[in-house]
Amino acid sequence: MPEFREMAKVTLFGSGNKGGAEFTPAKDIPPLAGKVVLITGAAGDLGRQTAIELAKYGRPSRIYVADLPRGDAEKKAVVERITREAYVQDEDAATPKTEVRFLDLDLTSFESVRACAVEFVAKEERLDILFLNAGIIRVAKGTTKEGYEVHFGLNYLGHALLAKLLIPTLEKTATNTSKPRVVVVSSEGHAMAPKGGIQFDNLKSECASMDYSQRYGQSKLALIHLTRHLSTQHPSLTTAAVHPGRILTGMADALKKESLLVKLTAPIAPFFCVPVSVGIVNHLWAATSPAVLSGSYYEPVGVPGKESALARDAALGRRLAEFTAEQIGGVELVG
Ligand SMILES: NC(=O)c1ccc[n+]([C@@H]2O[C@H](COP(=O)([O-])OP(=O)(O)OC[C@H]3O[C@@H](n4cnc5c(N)ncnc54)[C@H](OP(=O)(O)O)[C@@H]3O)[C@@H](O)[C@H]2O)c1
């Protein structure tokens, strides 16, 4: 029962997000004028608040909210909410405000990921910060359009493909003095991955023998390996993985429906969860701090080295990189 033990530990005692790094968005987010940011899952709680704080304090030229396709009115509402909350008290009316744009992205479909990247590169010459933030934890057993287990396919493989397609734009944005960032939102839940870490032989299935925590853990473990892989393959970029802490977001609501342990501990959850404004500090720190070491996993803010042994397993990382290249190698920006 080692997975159950890990799950109970994460549920009851998981780390919050008060780390070693002192980081105050108002003080520490540098000016981002002229820069372009893309955040997946930015209609959701952590992505949206990340966009708000970056727009408020850094004022990049544009922030792209890449999230599930929806009606025009709903997209407009997402964009307007970020803009409204970023500039509710506009203390710096002289500096241009960030333009927020919505991009359709369904990470469960290679075609949608490709279309999202195509649309982005048609609009932008540069990309300074890419957040691979979207994620699911709850869902019933299922597969993505290409037949991968849905947590692995969405949280990991869809993001690996998006990163691959946007790397040329990130690399051409790099200068001698400025490295574009890729912030990979993993989780302390990566420790709940099944024995061996990633069940390669089962990935093109629902992984029916695994519970949701193992399916989630496997996908989040893969994201830590992706972070290291991108860092070694693309030294002109700074790539970091983060655990955001434990936050009562849309994801937590979903989790309650699936996990008895989480349901039972719900009344005391506010005592060991942090608010969204604290939960996004690791995102913001990893995206902007000069102290970030490329290829590292941080849990909580600014604290490296808390990843599981499987997350450090170089042989597993190599096998995942080979597997990933086989699966997404054929998908290119120019079809
Ligand atoms: N909250 C926590 O305590 C916690 C802890 C550790 C790690 N994390 C990580 O933090 C990240 C953000 O989560 P959150 O807490 O902000 O949850 P959230 O509020 O549920 O946000 C997740 C976002 O991902 C979007 N999404 C879902 N399926 C998608 C798909 N197929 N394609 C593109 N986007 C999709 C969701 O869209 P819809 O809402 O329309 O479905 C939502 O906007 C996740 O990667 C999560 O694993 C969170």
Side-chain angles (χ1 to χ4, degrees):
M1 300 286 279
E3 289 86 13
F4 181 77
R5 222 175 27 242
E6 284 299 341
M7 187 179 152
K9 199 173 75 190
V10 164
T11 303
L12 294 169
F13 308 116
S15 56
N17 209 13
K18 287 209 170 61
E22 284 299 323
F23 188 90
T24 312
K27 189 164 60 66
D28 294 318
I29 294 178
L32 299 171
K35 297 194 186 287
V36 175
V37 178
L38 190 157
I39 309 173
T40 69
D45 290 309
L46 297 181
R48 182 178 57 246
Q49 196 61 32
T50 299
I52 290 167
E53 308 263 334
L54 287 175
K56 185 171 180 179
Y57 299 115
R59 300 197 183 217
S61 293
R62 282 172 292 289
I63 294 179
Y64 286 83
V65 170
D67 210 311
L68 281 170
R70 57 199 80 203
D72 287 346
E74 229 188 299
K75 289 182 195 175
K76 194 162 169 255
V78 171
V79 165
E80 285 180 354
R81 178 170 175 190
I82 292 171
T83 309
R84 188 175 61 249
E85 294 190 19
Y87 303 116
V88 64
Q89 287 174 313
D90 193 5
E91 287 147 7
D92 183 11
T95 308
K97 294 186 174 76
T98 299
E99 184 188 346
V100 181
R101 294 178 178 174
F102 196 98
L103 274 181
D104 285 346
L105 171 68
D106 180 352
L107 286 159
T108 65
S109 153
F110 284 0
E111 189 42 45
S112 174
V113 174
R114 185 177 162 278
C116 175
V118 167
E119 189 180 346
F120 178 81
V121 298
K123 288 184 167 142
E124 295 293 347
E125 290 287 317
R126 65 183 299 137
L127 177 55
D128 297 273
I129 308 173
L130 170 63
F131 289 93
L132 304 180
N133 165 77
I136 50 162
I137 191 170
R138 65 192 183 275
V139 299
K141 291 185 172 118
T143 56
T144 63
K145 308 276 182 305
E146 282 77 25
Y148 302 96
E149 189 288 313
V150 66
H151 293 78
F152 186 85
L154 188 166
N155 294 350
Y156 171 71
L157 211 45
H159 275 139
L161 176 58
L162 185 67
K164 175 196 150 176
L165 298 176
L166 294 179
I167 271 175
T169 310
L170 285 158
E171 286 190 322
K172 81 175 177 200
T173 307
T175 66
N176 290 340
T177 52
S178 157
K179 287 184 168 195
R181 303 265 173 132
V182 182
V183 178
V184 178
V185 182
S186 178
S187 169
E188 62 186 348
H190 76 272
M192 303 187 298
K195 194 163 181 283
I198 296 168
Q199 293 192 351
F200 289 96
D201 294 341
N202 280 332
L203 291 175
K204 269 215 148 173
S205 77
E206 294 181 347
C207 290
S209 62
M210 289 160 63
D211 64 30
Y212 83 87
S213 65
Q214 292 174 316
R215 288 180 274 130
Y216 178 73
Q218 172 172 259
S219 71
K220 292 293 179 177
L221 173 67
L223 283 169
I224 299 179
H225 282 290
L226 175 67
T227 305
R228 199 166 301 122
H229 179 73
L230 292 176
S231 167
T232 51
Q233 298 299 307
H234 305 284
S236 65
L237 313 178
T238 296
T239 306
V242 296
H243 165 59
R246 319 174 81 236
I247 313 110
L248 295 174
T249 61
M251 181 163 278
D253 291 342
L255 191 51
K256 245 184 277 172
K257 290 185 206 144
E258 287 295 316
S259 163
L260 182 62
L261 188 61
V262 174
K263 203 183 294 178
L264 291 175
T265 54
I268 54 165
F271 296 107
F272 52 84
C273 288
V274 296
V276 171
S277 59
V278 176
I280 45 100
V281 173
N282 221 359
H283 285 58
L284 298 171
W285 179 84
T288 60
S289 169
V292 174
L293 286 180
S294 193
S296 301
Y297 167 75
Y298 291 96
E299 174 195 331
V301 183
V303 179
K306 293 249 182 84
E307 65 273 32
S308 66
L310 285 167
R312 291 194 206 118
D313 184 333
L316 180 63
R318 277 194 300 277
R319 183 158 182 213
L320 177 65
E322 280 163 21
F323 173 87
T324 305
E326 279 164 19
Q327 309 306 310
I328 65 175
V331 187
E332 301 295 341
L333 262 187
V334 183

